[in-house]
PDB file of all heavy atoms in Angstrom:
ATOM      1  N   LEU A   1     115.678  82.443  26.128  1.00 98.00           N
ATOM      2  CA  LEU A   1     115.768  82.600  27.619  1.00 98.00           C
ATOM      3  C   LEU A   1     117.068  83.395  27.919  1.00 98.00           C
ATOM      4  O   LEU A   1     118.182  82.988  27.367  1.00 98.00           O
ATOM      5  CB  LEU A   1     115.873  81.278  28.265  1.00 98.00           C
ATOM      6  CG  LEU A   1     116.172  81.289  29.814  1.00 98.00           C
ATOM      7  CD1 LEU A   1     115.038  81.946  30.564  1.00 98.00           C
ATOM      8  CD2 LEU A   1     116.328  79.874  30.375  1.00 98.00           C
ATOM      9  N   ILE A   2     116.911  84.450  28.719  1.00 98.00           N
ATOM     10  CA  ILE A   2     118.116  85.164  29.243  1.00 98.00           C
ATOM     11  C   ILE A   2     118.140  85.032  30.675  1.00 98.00           C
ATOM     12  O   ILE A   2     117.173  85.269  31.442  1.00 98.00           O
ATOM     13  CB  ILE A   2     118.022  86.669  28.859  1.00 98.00           C
ATOM     14  CG1 ILE A   2     117.921  86.824  27.373  1.00 98.00           C
ATOM     15  CG2 ILE A   2     119.218  87.395  29.425  1.00 98.00           C
ATOM     16  CD1 ILE A   2     117.663  88.333  26.958  1.00 98.00           C
ATOM     17  N   ILE A   3     119.332  84.585  31.230  1.00 97.00           N
ATOM     18  CA  ILE A   3     119.517  84.385  32.674  1.00 97.00           C
ATOM     19  C   ILE A   3     120.516  85.476  33.135  1.00 97.00           C
ATOM     20  O   ILE A   3     121.659  85.587  32.657  1.00 97.00           O
ATOM     21  CB  ILE A   3     120.049  83.069  33.004  1.00 97.00           C
ATOM     22  CG1 ILE A   3     118.998  81.966  32.616  1.00 97.00           C
ATOM     23  CG2 ILE A   3     120.342  82.939  34.566  1.00 97.00           C
ATOM     24  CD1 ILE A   3     119.482  80.568  32.831  1.00 97.00           C
ATOM     25  N   GLY A   4     120.023  86.388  33.991  1.00 96.00           N
ATOM     26  CA  GLY A   4     120.824  87.609  34.365  1.00 96.00           C
ATOM     27  C   GLY A   4     120.394  88.704  33.388  1.00 96.00           C
ATOM     28  O   GLY A   4     119.289  88.733  32.887  1.00 96.00           O
ATOM     29  N   GLY A   5     121.316  89.611  33.093  1.00 95.00           N
ATOM     30  CA  GLY A   5     121.037  90.708  32.153  1.00 95.00           C
ATOM     31  C   GLY A   5     119.955  91.720  32.679  1.00 95.00           C
ATOM     32  O   GLY A   5     119.190  92.149  31.882  1.00 95.00           O
ATOM     33  N   GLY A   6     119.968  91.979  33.939  1.00 95.00           N
ATOM     34  CA  GLY A   6     118.960  92.828  34.496  1.00 95.00           C
ATOM     35  C   GLY A   6     119.002  94.219  34.038  1.00 95.00           C
ATOM     36  O   GLY A   6     118.044  95.015  34.332  1.00 95.00           O
ATOM     37  N   ASP A   7     120.049  94.664  33.322  1.00 96.00           N
ATOM     38  CA  ASP A   7     120.066  95.952  32.735  1.00 96.00           C
ATOM     39  C   ASP A   7     119.308  96.114  31.417  1.00 96.00           C
ATOM     40  O   ASP A   7     119.164  97.238  30.869  1.00 96.00           O
ATOM     41  CB  ASP A   7     121.568  96.400  32.513  1.00 96.00           C
ATOM     42  CG  ASP A   7     122.335  95.458  31.723  1.00 96.00           C
ATOM     43  OD1 ASP A   7     121.787  94.763  30.821  1.00 96.00           O
ATOM     44  OD2 ASP A   7     123.577  95.328  31.930  1.00 96.00           O
ATOM     45  N   GLY A   8     118.878  95.012  30.854  1.00 96.00           N
ATOM     46  CA  GLY A   8     118.057  95.050  29.643  1.00 96.00           C
ATOM     47  C   GLY A   8     118.795  95.210  28.337  1.00 96.00           C
ATOM     48  O   GLY A   8     118.111  95.314  27.312  1.00 96.00           O
ATOM     49  N   LEU A   9     120.124  95.223  28.364  1.00 97.00           N
ATOM     50  CA  LEU A   9     120.858  95.477  27.149  1.00 97.00           C
ATOM     51  C   LEU A   9     121.042  94.215  26.320  1.00 97.00           C
ATOM     52  O   LEU A   9     120.919  94.337  25.068  1.00 97.00           O
ATOM     53  CB  LEU A   9     122.271  96.018  27.519  1.00 97.00           C
ATOM     54  CG  LEU A   9     122.266  97.429  28.242  1.00 97.00           C
ATOM     55  CD1 LEU A   9     123.628  97.867  28.567  1.00 97.00           C
ATOM     56  CD2 LEU A   9     121.538  98.449  27.313  1.00 97.00           C
ATOM     57  N   ALA A  10     121.275  93.022  26.866  1.00 97.00           N
ATOM     58  CA  ALA A  10     121.235  91.808  26.118  1.00 97.00           C
ATOM     59  C   ALA A  10     119.815  91.595  25.580  1.00 97.00           C
ATOM     60  O   ALA A  10     119.600  91.175  24.431  1.00 97.00           O
ATOM     61  CB  ALA A  10     121.729  90.629  26.950  1.00 97.00           C
ATOM     62  N   LEU A  11     118.834  91.918  26.364  1.00 98.00           N
ATOM     63  CA  LEU A  11     117.440  91.829  25.931  1.00 98.00           C
ATOM     64  C   LEU A  11     117.190  92.693  24.742  1.00 98.00           C
ATOM     65  O   LEU A  11     116.535  92.284  23.802  1.00 98.00           O
ATOM     66  CB  LEU A  11     116.502  92.205  27.104  1.00 98.00           C
ATOM     67  CG  LEU A  11     115.016  92.280  26.845  1.00 98.00           C
ATOM     68  CD1 LEU A  11     114.482  90.908  26.348  1.00 98.00           C
ATOM     69  CD2 LEU A  11     114.327  92.795  28.075  1.00 98.00           C
ATOM     70  N   ARG A  12     117.675  93.924  24.788  1.00 97.00           N
ATOM     71  CA  ARG A  12     117.576  94.811  23.592  1.00 97.00           C
ATOM     72  C   ARG A  12     118.062  94.203  22.368  1.00 97.00           C
ATOM     73  O   ARG A  12     117.437  94.236  21.265  1.00 97.00           O
ATOM     74  CB  ARG A  12     118.279  96.123  23.941  1.00 97.00           C
ATOM     75  CG  ARG A  12     118.447  97.109  22.831  1.00 97.00           C
ATOM     76  CD  ARG A  12     119.664  97.972  23.000  1.00 97.00           C
ATOM     77  NE  ARG A  12     120.910  97.179  22.932  1.00 97.00           N
ATOM     78  CZ  ARG A  12     122.111  97.676  23.363  1.00 97.00           C
ATOM     79  NH1 ARG A  12     122.186  98.883  23.912  1.00 97.00           N
ATOM     80  NH2 ARG A  12     123.155  96.942  23.306  1.00 97.00           N
ATOM     81  N   ASP A  13     119.291  93.568  22.375  1.00 97.00           N
ATOM     82  CA  ASP A  13     119.857  92.980  21.188  1.00 97.00           C
ATOM     83  C   ASP A  13     119.107  91.697  20.788  1.00 97.00           C
ATOM     84  O   ASP A  13     119.009  91.402  19.581  1.00 97.00           O
ATOM     85  CB  ASP A  13     121.349  92.583  21.511  1.00 97.00           C
ATOM     86  CG  ASP A  13     122.290  93.890  21.526  1.00 97.00           C
ATOM     87  OD1 ASP A  13     121.660  95.016  21.410  1.00 97.00           O
ATOM     88  OD2 ASP A  13     123.427  93.705  21.696  1.00 97.00           O
ATOM     89  N   VAL A  14     118.575  90.969  21.706  1.00 98.00           N
ATOM     90  CA  VAL A  14     117.783  89.805  21.319  1.00 98.00           C
ATOM     91  C   VAL A  14     116.570  90.230  20.631  1.00 98.00           C
ATOM     92  O   VAL A  14     116.149  89.544  19.577  1.00 98.00           O
ATOM     93  CB  VAL A  14     117.392  88.970  22.617  1.00 98.00           C
ATOM     94  CG1 VAL A  14     116.332  87.950  22.279  1.00 98.00           C
ATOM     95  CG2 VAL A  14     118.641  88.291  23.198  1.00 98.00           C
ATOM     96  N   LEU A  15     115.898  91.299  21.079  1.00 98.00           N
ATOM     97  CA  LEU A  15     114.653  91.750  20.377  1.00 98.00           C
ATOM     98  C   LEU A  15     114.889  92.204  18.977  1.00 98.00           C
ATOM     99  O   LEU A  15     113.965  92.156  18.121  1.00 98.00           O
ATOM    100  CB  LEU A  15     114.041  92.918  21.206  1.00 98.00           C
ATOM    101  CG  LEU A  15     113.461  92.468  22.598  1.00 98.00           C
ATOM    102  CD1 LEU A  15     113.083  93.705  23.442  1.00 98.00           C
ATOM    103  CD2 LEU A  15     112.269  91.572  22.430  1.00 98.00           C
ATOM    104  N   ARG A  16     116.088  92.496  18.573  1.00 97.00           N
ATOM    105  CA  ARG A  16     116.391  92.825  17.186  1.00 97.00           C
ATOM    106  C   ARG A  16     116.182  91.622  16.250  1.00 97.00           C
ATOM    107  O   ARG A  16     115.990  91.791  15.063  1.00 97.00           O
ATOM    108  CB  ARG A  16     117.866  93.366  17.087  1.00 97.00           C
ATOM    109  CG  ARG A  16     118.157  94.674  17.780  1.00 97.00           C
ATOM    110  CD  ARG A  16     119.640  95.034  17.757  1.00 97.00           C
ATOM    111  NE  ARG A  16     120.105  95.181  16.436  1.00 97.00           N
ATOM    112  CZ  ARG A  16     121.035  94.341  15.786  1.00 97.00           C
ATOM    113  NH1 ARG A  16     121.444  93.323  16.479  1.00 97.00           N
ATOM    114  NH2 ARG A  16     121.437  94.543  14.608  1.00 97.00           N
ATOM    115  N   TRP A  17     116.224  90.427  16.800  1.00 97.00           N
ATOM    116  CA  TRP A  17     115.992  89.231  16.044  1.00 97.00           C
ATOM    117  C   TRP A  17     114.520  88.865  15.889  1.00 97.00           C
ATOM    118  O   TRP A  17     114.274  87.819  15.356  1.00 97.00           O
ATOM    119  CB  TRP A  17     116.805  88.065  16.705  1.00 97.00           C
ATOM    120  CG  TRP A  17     118.292  88.246  16.553  1.00 97.00           C
ATOM    121  CD1 TRP A  17     119.091  89.079  17.267  1.00 97.00           C
ATOM    122  CD2 TRP A  17     119.123  87.520  15.638  1.00 97.00           C
ATOM    123  NE1 TRP A  17     120.412  88.874  16.789  1.00 97.00           N
ATOM    124  CE2 TRP A  17     120.451  87.937  15.821  1.00 97.00           C
ATOM    125  CE3 TRP A  17     118.947  86.458  14.708  1.00 97.00           C
ATOM    126  CZ2 TRP A  17     121.527  87.483  15.149  1.00 97.00           C
ATOM    127  CZ3 TRP A  17     120.016  86.011  13.947  1.00 97.00           C
ATOM    128  CH2 TRP A  17     121.251  86.509  14.214  1.00 97.00           C
ATOM    129  N   ASN A  18     113.661  89.682  16.352  1.00 97.00           N
ATOM    130  CA  ASN A  18     112.207  89.589  16.202  1.00 97.00           C
ATOM    131  C   ASN A  18     111.768  88.215  16.793  1.00 97.00           C
ATOM    132  O   ASN A  18     111.005  87.397  16.072  1.00 97.00           O
ATOM    133  CB  ASN A  18     111.766  89.724  14.725  1.00 97.00           C
ATOM    134  CG  ASN A  18     110.262  89.921  14.607  1.00 97.00           C
ATOM    135  OD1 ASN A  18     109.676  90.477  15.558  1.00 97.00           O
ATOM    136  ND2 ASN A  18     109.749  89.466  13.478  1.00 97.00           N
ATOM    137  N   PRO A  19     112.147  87.871  17.966  1.00 97.00           N
ATOM    138  CA  PRO A  19     111.545  86.591  18.557  1.00 97.00           C
ATOM    139  C   PRO A  19     110.119  86.693  18.914  1.00 97.00           C
ATOM    140  O   PRO A  19     109.522  87.818  19.029  1.00 97.00           O
ATOM    141  CB  PRO A  19     112.408  86.520  19.846  1.00 97.00           C
ATOM    142  CG  PRO A  19     112.675  87.949  20.224  1.00 97.00           C
ATOM    143  CD  PRO A  19     112.849  88.649  18.962  1.00 97.00           C
ATOM    144  N   LYS A  20     109.481  85.566  19.100  1.00 97.00           N
ATOM    145  CA  LYS A  20     108.043  85.574  19.529  1.00 97.00           C
ATOM    146  C   LYS A  20     107.924  85.855  20.947  1.00 97.00           C
ATOM    147  O   LYS A  20     107.001  86.471  21.446  1.00 97.00           O
ATOM    148  CB  LYS A  20     107.381  84.231  19.133  1.00 97.00           C
ATOM    149  CG  LYS A  20     107.262  83.979  17.613  1.00 97.00           C
ATOM    150  CD  LYS A  20     106.663  82.657  17.360  1.00 97.00           C
ATOM    151  CE  LYS A  20     106.570  82.382  15.840  1.00 97.00           C
ATOM    152  NZ  LYS A  20     105.961  81.100  15.531  1.00 97.00           N
ATOM    153  N   LYS A  21     108.950  85.307  21.766  1.00 98.00           N
ATOM    154  CA  LYS A  21     108.899  85.555  23.239  1.00 98.00           C
ATOM    155  C   LYS A  21     110.303  85.554  23.786  1.00 98.00           C
ATOM    156  O   LYS A  21     111.092  84.695  23.344  1.00 98.00           O
ATOM    157  CB  LYS A  21     108.067  84.465  23.890  1.00 98.00           C
ATOM    158  CG  LYS A  21     107.871  84.716  25.377  1.00 98.00           C
ATOM    159  CD  LYS A  21     106.799  83.780  26.037  1.00 98.00           C
ATOM    160  CE  LYS A  21     106.600  84.095  27.493  1.00 98.00           C
ATOM    161  NZ  LYS A  21     105.599  83.233  28.152  1.00 98.00           N
ATOM    162  N   VAL A  22     110.523  86.376  24.792  1.00 98.00           N
ATOM    163  CA  VAL A  22     111.822  86.335  25.488  1.00 98.00           C
ATOM    164  C   VAL A  22     111.500  86.278  26.923  1.00 98.00           C
ATOM    165  O   VAL A  22     110.713  87.111  27.484  1.00 98.00           O
ATOM    166  CB  VAL A  22     112.701  87.558  25.197  1.00 98.00           C
ATOM    167  CG1 VAL A  22     114.017  87.504  25.885  1.00 98.00           C
ATOM    168  CG2 VAL A  22     112.805  87.774  23.682  1.00 98.00           C
ATOM    169  N   THR A  23     112.051  85.325  27.642  1.00 98.00           N
ATOM    170  CA  THR A  23     111.998  85.230  29.141  1.00 98.00           C
ATOM    171  C   THR A  23     113.277  85.635  29.763  1.00 98.00           C
ATOM    172  O   THR A  23     114.340  85.100  29.381  1.00 98.00           O
ATOM    173  CB  THR A  23     111.609  83.804  29.505  1.00 98.00           C
ATOM    174  OG1 THR A  23     110.374  83.347  28.805  1.00 98.00           O
ATOM    175  CG2 THR A  23     111.408  83.634  31.013  1.00 98.00           C
ATOM    176  N   LEU A  24     113.175  86.535  30.744  1.00 98.00           N
ATOM    177  CA  LEU A  24     114.391  86.999  31.382  1.00 98.00           C
ATOM    178  C   LEU A  24     114.260  86.756  32.876  1.00 98.00           C
ATOM    179  O   LEU A  24     113.291  87.137  33.460  1.00 98.00           O
ATOM    180  CB  LEU A  24     114.612  88.535  31.071  1.00 98.00           C
ATOM    181  CG  LEU A  24     115.917  89.146  31.680  1.00 98.00           C
ATOM    182  CD1 LEU A  24     116.455  90.243  30.741  1.00 98.00           C
ATOM    183  CD2 LEU A  24     115.798  89.719  33.085  1.00 98.00           C
ATOM    184  N   ILE A  25     115.323  86.082  33.454  1.00 97.00           N
ATOM    185  CA  ILE A  25     115.298  85.824  34.921  1.00 97.00           C
ATOM    186  C   ILE A  25     116.474  86.516  35.546  1.00 97.00           C
ATOM    187  O   ILE A  25     117.602  86.392  35.148  1.00 97.00           O
ATOM    188  CB  ILE A  25     115.497  84.283  35.168  1.00 97.00           C
ATOM    189  CG1 ILE A  25     114.454  83.440  34.434  1.00 97.00           C
ATOM    190  CG2 ILE A  25     115.491  84.024  36.666  1.00 97.00           C
ATOM    191  CD1 ILE A  25     114.686  82.004  34.505  1.00 97.00           C
ATOM    192  N   ASP A  26     116.193  87.411  36.477  1.00 96.00           N
ATOM    193  CA  ASP A  26     117.197  88.117  37.332  1.00 96.00           C
ATOM    194  C   ASP A  26     116.735  88.226  38.700  1.00 96.00           C
ATOM    195  O   ASP A  26     115.534  88.381  38.975  1.00 96.00           O
ATOM    196  CB  ASP A  26     117.443  89.547  36.675  1.00 96.00           C
ATOM    197  CG  ASP A  26     118.713  90.144  37.165  1.00 96.00           C
ATOM    198  OD1 ASP A  26     118.753  90.597  38.359  1.00 96.00           O
ATOM    199  OD2 ASP A  26     119.710  90.093  36.505  1.00 96.00           O
ATOM    200  N   LEU A  27     117.716  88.169  39.647  1.00 93.00           N
ATOM    201  CA  LEU A  27     117.377  88.104  41.002  1.00 93.00           C
ATOM    202  C   LEU A  27     116.928  89.409  41.567  1.00 93.00           C
ATOM    203  O   LEU A  27     116.047  89.497  42.428  1.00 93.00           O
ATOM    204  CB  LEU A  27     118.676  87.670  41.815  1.00 93.00           C
ATOM    205  CG  LEU A  27     118.600  87.595  43.322  1.00 93.00           C
ATOM    206  CD1 LEU A  27     117.570  86.575  43.797  1.00 93.00           C
ATOM    207  CD2 LEU A  27     119.945  87.355  43.883  1.00 93.00           C
ATOM    208  N   ASP A  28     117.484  90.471  41.035  1.00 93.00           N
ATOM    209  CA  ASP A  28     117.257  91.848  41.684  1.00 93.00           C
ATOM    210  C   ASP A  28     116.189  92.623  40.991  1.00 93.00           C
ATOM    211  O   ASP A  28     116.274  93.261  40.014  1.00 93.00           O
ATOM    212  CB  ASP A  28     118.604  92.582  41.602  1.00 93.00           C
ATOM    213  CG  ASP A  28     118.616  93.775  42.549  1.00 93.00           C
ATOM    214  OD1 ASP A  28     117.595  94.241  42.934  1.00 93.00           O
ATOM    215  OD2 ASP A  28     119.838  94.118  43.022  1.00 93.00           O
ATOM    216  N   ALA A  29     114.968  92.569  41.645  1.00 94.00           N
ATOM    217  CA  ALA A  29     113.858  93.305  41.061  1.00 94.00           C
ATOM    218  C   ALA A  29     113.972  94.725  41.114  1.00 94.00           C
ATOM    219  O   ALA A  29     113.532  95.461  40.192  1.00 94.00           O
ATOM    220  CB  ALA A  29     112.546  92.920  41.880  1.00 94.00           C
ATOM    221  N   LYS A  30     114.684  95.329  42.112  1.00 93.00           N
ATOM    222  CA  LYS A  30     114.865  96.791  42.191  1.00 93.00           C
ATOM    223  C   LYS A  30     115.831  97.269  41.060  1.00 93.00           C
ATOM    224  O   LYS A  30     115.533  98.286  40.484  1.00 93.00           O
ATOM    225  CB  LYS A  30     115.463  97.156  43.554  1.00 93.00           C
ATOM    226  CG  LYS A  30     115.588  98.675  43.784  1.00 93.00           C
ATOM    227  CD  LYS A  30     116.028  99.037  45.143  1.00 93.00           C
ATOM    228  CE  LYS A  30     116.206 100.474  45.335  1.00 93.00           C
ATOM    229  NZ  LYS A  30     116.576 100.877  46.745  1.00 93.00           N
ATOM    230  N   LEU A  31     116.830  96.428  40.837  1.00 94.00           N
ATOM    231  CA  LEU A  31     117.707  96.782  39.758  1.00 94.00           C
ATOM    232  C   LEU A  31     116.985  96.814  38.381  1.00 94.00           C
ATOM    233  O   LEU A  31     117.102  97.791  37.608  1.00 94.00           O
ATOM    234  CB  LEU A  31     118.808  95.731  39.588  1.00 94.00           C
ATOM    235  CG  LEU A  31     119.703  95.785  38.365  1.00 94.00           C
ATOM    236  CD1 LEU A  31     120.519  97.074  38.257  1.00 94.00           C
ATOM    237  CD2 LEU A  31     120.629  94.567  38.287  1.00 94.00           C
ATOM    238  N   MET A  32     116.172  95.828  38.127  1.00 96.00           N
ATOM    239  CA  MET A  32     115.373  95.798  36.844  1.00 96.00           C
ATOM    240  C   MET A  32     114.381  96.971  36.787  1.00 96.00           C
ATOM    241  O   MET A  32     114.203  97.505  35.700  1.00 96.00           O
ATOM    242  CB  MET A  32     114.666  94.470  36.711  1.00 96.00           C
ATOM    243  CG  MET A  32     115.597  93.271  36.428  1.00 96.00           C
ATOM    244  SD  MET A  32     114.794  91.756  35.969  1.00 96.00           S
ATOM    245  CE  MET A  32     114.057  91.321  37.598  1.00 96.00           C
ATOM    246  N   SER A  33     113.871  97.393  37.931  1.00 95.00           N
ATOM    247  CA  SER A  33     112.812  98.515  37.915  1.00 95.00           C
ATOM    248  C   SER A  33     113.586  99.751  37.506  1.00 95.00           C
ATOM    249  O   SER A  33     112.940 100.639  36.858  1.00 95.00           O
ATOM    250  CB  SER A  33     112.191  98.629  39.300  1.00 95.00           C
ATOM    251  OG  SER A  33     113.118  99.106  40.202  1.00 95.00           O
ATOM    252  N   LEU A  34     114.832  99.902  37.870  1.00 94.00           N
ATOM    253  CA  LEU A  34     115.561 101.092  37.416  1.00 94.00           C
ATOM    254  C   LEU A  34     115.639 101.250  35.924  1.00 94.00           C
ATOM    255  O   LEU A  34     115.601 102.320  35.348  1.00 94.00           O
ATOM    256  CB  LEU A  34     117.030 101.130  38.043  1.00 94.00           C
ATOM    257  CG  LEU A  34     117.164 101.246  39.589  1.00 94.00           C
ATOM    258  CD1 LEU A  34     118.583 101.253  39.945  1.00 94.00           C
ATOM    259  CD2 LEU A  34     116.485 102.584  40.064  1.00 94.00           C
ATOM    260  N   PHE A  35     115.878 100.095  35.262  1.00 95.00           N
ATOM    261  CA  PHE A  35     116.119 100.098  33.826  1.00 95.00           C
ATOM    262  C   PHE A  35     114.710  99.960  33.101  1.00 95.00           C
ATOM    263  O   PHE A  35     114.589 100.412  31.943  1.00 95.00           O
ATOM    264  CB  PHE A  35     116.951  98.915  33.381  1.00 95.00           C
ATOM    265  CG  PHE A  35     118.409  99.151  33.726  1.00 95.00           C
ATOM    266  CD1 PHE A  35     118.938  98.699  34.923  1.00 95.00           C
ATOM    267  CD2 PHE A  35     119.245  99.770  32.869  1.00 95.00           C
ATOM    268  CE1 PHE A  35     120.283  98.915  35.267  1.00 95.00           C
ATOM    269  CE2 PHE A  35     120.618 100.006  33.177  1.00 95.00           C
ATOM    270  CZ  PHE A  35     121.100  99.582  34.388  1.00 95.00           C
ATOM    271  N   ARG A  36     113.733  99.437  33.749  1.00 95.00           N
ATOM    272  CA  ARG A  36     112.350  99.365  33.199  1.00 95.00           C
ATOM    273  C   ARG A  36     111.723 100.674  33.246  1.00 95.00           C
ATOM    274  O   ARG A  36     111.036 101.082  32.208  1.00 95.00           O
ATOM    275  CB  ARG A  36     111.570  98.336  33.899  1.00 95.00           C
ATOM    276  CG  ARG A  36     110.143  98.173  33.290  1.00 95.00           C
ATOM    277  CD  ARG A  36     109.214  97.345  34.139  1.00 95.00           C
ATOM    278  NE  ARG A  36     109.681  95.962  34.354  1.00 95.00           N
ATOM    279  CZ  ARG A  36     110.109  95.446  35.487  1.00 95.00           C
ATOM    280  NH1 ARG A  36     110.080  96.227  36.594  1.00 95.00           N
ATOM    281  NH2 ARG A  36     110.510  94.256  35.570  1.00 95.00           N
ATOM    282  N   GLU A  37     111.798 101.391  34.351  1.00 95.00           N
ATOM    283  CA  GLU A  37     111.122 102.704  34.545  1.00 95.00           C
ATOM    284  C   GLU A  37     112.154 103.728  35.001  1.00 95.00           C
ATOM    285  O   GLU A  37     112.000 104.209  36.163  1.00 95.00           O
ATOM    286  CB  GLU A  37     109.961 102.525  35.500  1.00 95.00           C
ATOM    287  CG  GLU A  37     108.924 101.565  35.099  1.00 95.00           C
ATOM    288  CD  GLU A  37     107.851 101.253  36.115  1.00 95.00           C
ATOM    289  OE1 GLU A  37     108.214 101.422  37.363  1.00 95.00           O
ATOM    290  OE2 GLU A  37     106.742 100.909  35.820  1.00 95.00           O
ATOM    291  N   PRO A  38     113.151 104.059  34.253  1.00 94.00           N
ATOM    292  CA  PRO A  38     114.149 104.998  34.717  1.00 94.00           C
ATOM    293  C   PRO A  38     113.627 106.274  35.113  1.00 94.00           C
ATOM    294  O   PRO A  38     114.168 106.987  36.062  1.00 94.00           O
ATOM    295  CB  PRO A  38     115.153 105.081  33.558  1.00 94.00           C
ATOM    296  CG  PRO A  38     114.331 104.637  32.391  1.00 94.00           C
ATOM    297  CD  PRO A  38     113.364 103.632  32.830  1.00 94.00           C
ATOM    298  N   LYS A  39     112.612 106.794  34.437  1.00 93.00           N
ATOM    299  CA  LYS A  39     112.085 108.178  34.778  1.00 93.00           C
ATOM    300  C   LYS A  39     111.449 108.199  36.163  1.00 93.00           C
ATOM    301  O   LYS A  39     111.395 109.281  36.783  1.00 93.00           O
ATOM    302  CB  LYS A  39     111.042 108.574  33.742  1.00 93.00           C
ATOM    303  CG  LYS A  39     111.672 108.909  32.343  1.00 93.00           C
ATOM    304  CD  LYS A  39     110.588 109.310  31.391  1.00 93.00           C
ATOM    305  CE  LYS A  39     111.269 109.626  30.017  1.00 93.00           C
ATOM    306  NZ  LYS A  39     110.213 110.023  29.019  1.00 93.00           N
ATOM    307  N   THR A  40     111.050 107.067  36.631  1.00 92.00           N
ATOM    308  CA  THR A  40     110.453 106.997  38.008  1.00 92.00           C
ATOM    309  C   THR A  40     111.454 107.076  39.103  1.00 92.00           C
ATOM    310  O   THR A  40     111.192 107.588  40.162  1.00 92.00           O
ATOM    311  CB  THR A  40     109.606 105.745  38.132  1.00 92.00           C
ATOM    312  OG1 THR A  40     108.610 105.659  37.104  1.00 92.00           O
ATOM    313  CG2 THR A  40     108.872 105.683  39.530  1.00 92.00           C
ATOM    314  N   HIS A  41     112.605 106.491  38.810  1.00 91.00           N
ATOM    315  CA  HIS A  41     113.624 106.349  39.846  1.00 91.00           C
ATOM    316  C   HIS A  41     114.927 107.174  39.741  1.00 91.00           C
ATOM    317  O   HIS A  41     115.587 107.430  40.781  1.00 91.00           O
ATOM    318  CB  HIS A  41     114.052 104.859  39.868  1.00 91.00           C
ATOM    319  CG  HIS A  41     112.941 103.899  40.005  1.00 91.00           C
ATOM    320  ND1 HIS A  41     112.348 103.679  41.215  1.00 91.00           N
ATOM    321  CD2 HIS A  41     112.394 103.027  39.106  1.00 91.00           C
ATOM    322  CE1 HIS A  41     111.411 102.721  41.008  1.00 91.00           C
ATOM    323  NE2 HIS A  41     111.378 102.370  39.807  1.00 91.00           N
ATOM    324  N   LEU A  42     115.220 107.580  38.530  1.00 93.00           N
ATOM    325  CA  LEU A  42     116.582 108.237  38.334  1.00 93.00           C
ATOM    326  C   LEU A  42     116.401 109.664  37.927  1.00 93.00           C
ATOM    327  O   LEU A  42     115.407 110.151  37.472  1.00 93.00           O
ATOM    328  CB  LEU A  42     117.260 107.487  37.205  1.00 93.00           C
ATOM    329  CG  LEU A  42     117.495 105.916  37.389  1.00 93.00           C
ATOM    330  CD1 LEU A  42     117.995 105.282  36.158  1.00 93.00           C
ATOM    331  CD2 LEU A  42     118.432 105.741  38.617  1.00 93.00           C
TER     332      LEU A  42
END
């Protein structure tokens, strides 16, 4: 579980450990969309 980390960088490092599932909670959906689909917004 990651709380915060809406830029996806902590998530990137967690995925290197080959987990079965990662849950990320962040308040700002628009912020996360910038990092999820940067080509759409930036």
Side-chain angles (χ1 to χ4, degrees):
L1 173 64
I2 302 174
I3 297 174
D7 52 32
L9 296 178
L11 175 61
R12 173 204 64 196
D13 285 2
V14 168
L15 291 172
R16 294 174 61 247
W17 289 76
N18 197 28
K20 293 179 180 178
K21 185 171 184 178
V22 184
T23 302
L24 186 147
I25 304 173
D26 194 283
L27 178 64
D28 200 331
K30 184 175 180 179
L31 168 66
M32 288 189 289
S33 71
L34 292 180
F35 288 92
R36 182 191 297 113
E37 300 171 332
K39 289 182 179 178
T40 305
H41 305 284
L42 302 173

